[in-house]
Amino acid sequence: MRRPQRETLPDVPAGVTIYEVGPRDGLQNEKSVVPVEVKAEFVRRLVAAGLDTVETTSFVSPQWVPQLADSAELLGLLGDVGRGRNRPVLVPNERGLDLALAQGVQAIAIFGSATETFARKNLNRSVEESIAMFAPVVQRARSEGLWVRGYVSMCFGDPWEGDVPIEQVAEVTSRIMDLGCDQVSLGDTIGTGTTGHVHRLLDALDARGIGVDRLAVHFHDTYGQALANTLAALAHGVTVVDASTGGLGGCPYAKSATGNLATEDLVWALDGLGIETGVDLDALVETSVWMAGHLGRPSSSNVVRALAGSAGVGGQ
Ligand code: HMG
Ligand code: MG
């Protein structure tokens, strides 16, 4: 398959870790529940394509996210492929942690919000109450030796509250980090962020002593800004980037959230810059086409559409 011509830039990192969220962020937002065997095969294919870190599922309330109610069954099917410090699962509370630990999970992600409205809609709690809910989760997870990520949603805009002050985001991020997270991922849940905004937020976090080495970025592509924003973050020194194969994703509790940055588009851009990812783009495109066949609609990745032509749906 075609590849981009390699032309490097001085200010970009030599290596980038792609944190794949397709099985979790992607499949939590599907109207119909994807069969658990298909989910397991999706994860296996992503790992086989060279994606180092894959967020597999969520241990959240099945009433809230029925799409991922099969998380224990999924991990059962995955066996060793679903375990390890690079196979995180979302966990909001101690109940979720208990269920995840029972499955031998070794990495979790808690998920907070920079805004009050989304905290209530997504977690049924205020920002303060949700941080109080996470505190014992992180404490216990760390004492069990787990790797812990924290998400902060609505970092670049909120569908109900509009603009979100950078200092407000920085404050919540530092509270989440201080719980004891190894890494915090900055979520542009509804995709409204732009490149200057990315730099200003990273500056504000740096001023609070939160360096890029402990941060990841998580851009949804609702306004077509996800790749530009990611490149801005890389220029700022961030080296962990969230992406979702086929651009699947969204949050059922965030009005107007659409898919994440497509992993294939990210790999293409990084490949062109000579940045090492370890991902086999051919295998990833094949996986995207295979998944699109199961979902009954074409992959929304531009790279998949270009490389796989009109085989976006149905190609097994
Ligand atoms: P609640 O209703 O306040 O919970 O929801 P509760 O503690 O009162 O419990 C209610 C019932 O749920 C109880 O069952 C609990 O046992 C059960 P009952 O006694 O009535 O039979 N329950 C659970 N069951 C299984 N696993 C659990 C669990 N917890 C309670 N972990 C809660 C509070 C946090 C549970 C709920 O709001 C919830 O699950 N929210 C999750 C929403 C979600 O997953 N959203 C999508 C992920 S976030 C996202 O996509 C953004 C991100 O991508 C970044 C970005 O883009 O910005 C990460
Ligand atoms: Mg998301």
Side-chain angles (χ1 to χ4, degrees):
M1 279 194 212
R2 195 180 177 96
R3 287 289 178 275
Q5 183 168 327
R6 283 199 163 178
E7 302 291 351
T8 61
L9 284 173
D11 291 333
V12 293
V16 164
T17 300
I18 301 178
Y19 183 108
E20 168 68 36
V21 296
R24 193 279 302 169
D25 203 327
L27 301 185
Q28 76 181 8
N29 208 43
E30 287 298 314
K31 283 201 176 60
S32 54
V33 177
V34 174
V36 68
E37 295 78 13
V38 174
K39 290 176 176 171
E41 184 60 13
F42 189 33
V43 173
R44 284 189 208 104
R45 282 176 176 245
L46 294 170
V47 171
L51 285 158
D52 174 69
T53 306
V54 180
E55 195 171 81
T56 53
T57 186
S58 299
F59 285 85
V60 298
S61 162
Q63 279 90 37
W64 283 65
V65 184
Q67 292 90 335
L68 303 184
D70 55 9
S71 45
E73 198 185 346
L74 173 65
L75 292 189
L77 283 176
L78 283 172
D80 287 349
V81 175
R83 308 294 189 291
R85 288 169 75 81
N86 49 1
R87 298 288 181 274
V89 299
L90 247 59
V91 164
N93 54 15
E94 291 200 84
R95 169 113 181 92
L97 180 63
D98 290 337
L99 294 169
L101 287 172
Q103 292 303 320
V105 158
Q106 289 162 35
I108 62 158
I110 55 156
F111 48 104
S113 168
T115 65
E116 286 297 337
T117 314
F118 185 63
R120 293 220 173 264
K121 293 204 181 271
N122 200 42
L123 295 161
N124 200 23
R125 280 161 182 67
S126 67
V127 169
E128 203 56 47
E129 288 163 348
S130 41
I131 290 173
M133 175 171 72
F134 300 142
V137 176
V138 177
Q139 202 181 8
R140 271 182 60 207
R142 290 198 63 107
S143 70
E144 299 274 349
L146 271 60
W147 182 83
V148 180
R149 161 182 265 214
Y151 281 100
V152 180
S153 286
M154 303 299 172
C155 289
F156 298 89
D158 175 284
W160 299 277
E161 298 184 19
D163 290 353
V164 184
I166 284 177
E167 274 311 310
Q168 180 178 324
V169 177
E171 174 63 24
V172 174
T173 304
S174 87
R175 296 280 306 279
I176 298 260
M177 190 63 101
D178 288 349
L179 291 174
C181 293
D182 293 287
Q183 177 182 84
V184 169
S185 180
L186 305 168
D188 186 5
T189 321
I190 57 165
T192 47
T194 51
T195 53
H197 198 163
V198 173
H199 282 286
R200 294 298 79 77
L201 176 56
L202 292 170
D203 285 339
L205 292 171
D206 194 46
R208 285 171 177 257
I210 303 175
V212 286
D213 54 325
R214 290 195 289 160
L215 293 172
V217 287
H218 179 104
F219 294 114
H220 284 261
D221 202 31
T222 321
Y223 291 81
Q225 304 298 305
L227 184 55
N229 288 340
T230 297
L231 295 174
L234 294 184
H236 211 100
V238 170
T239 59
V240 182
V241 176
D242 298 4
S244 169
T245 292
L248 300 170
C251 176
Y253 294 102
K255 215 165 53 176
S256 77
T258 62
N260 288 79
L261 169 63
T263 312
E264 304 85 341
D265 298 6
L266 174 63
V267 170
W268 181 274
L270 297 178
D271 200 7
L273 284 166
I275 298 175
E276 204 43 62
T277 63
V279 175
D280 174 347
L281 187 57
D282 294 347
L284 194 59
V285 167
E286 250 177 57
T287 298
S288 204
V289 170
W290 169 84
M291 197 62 203
H294 281 287
L295 298 176
R297 59 172 193 277
S299 168
S300 66
S301 156
N302 288 308
V303 166
V304 173
R305 283 205 294 265
L307 293 180
S310 57
V313 169
Q316 304 283 316

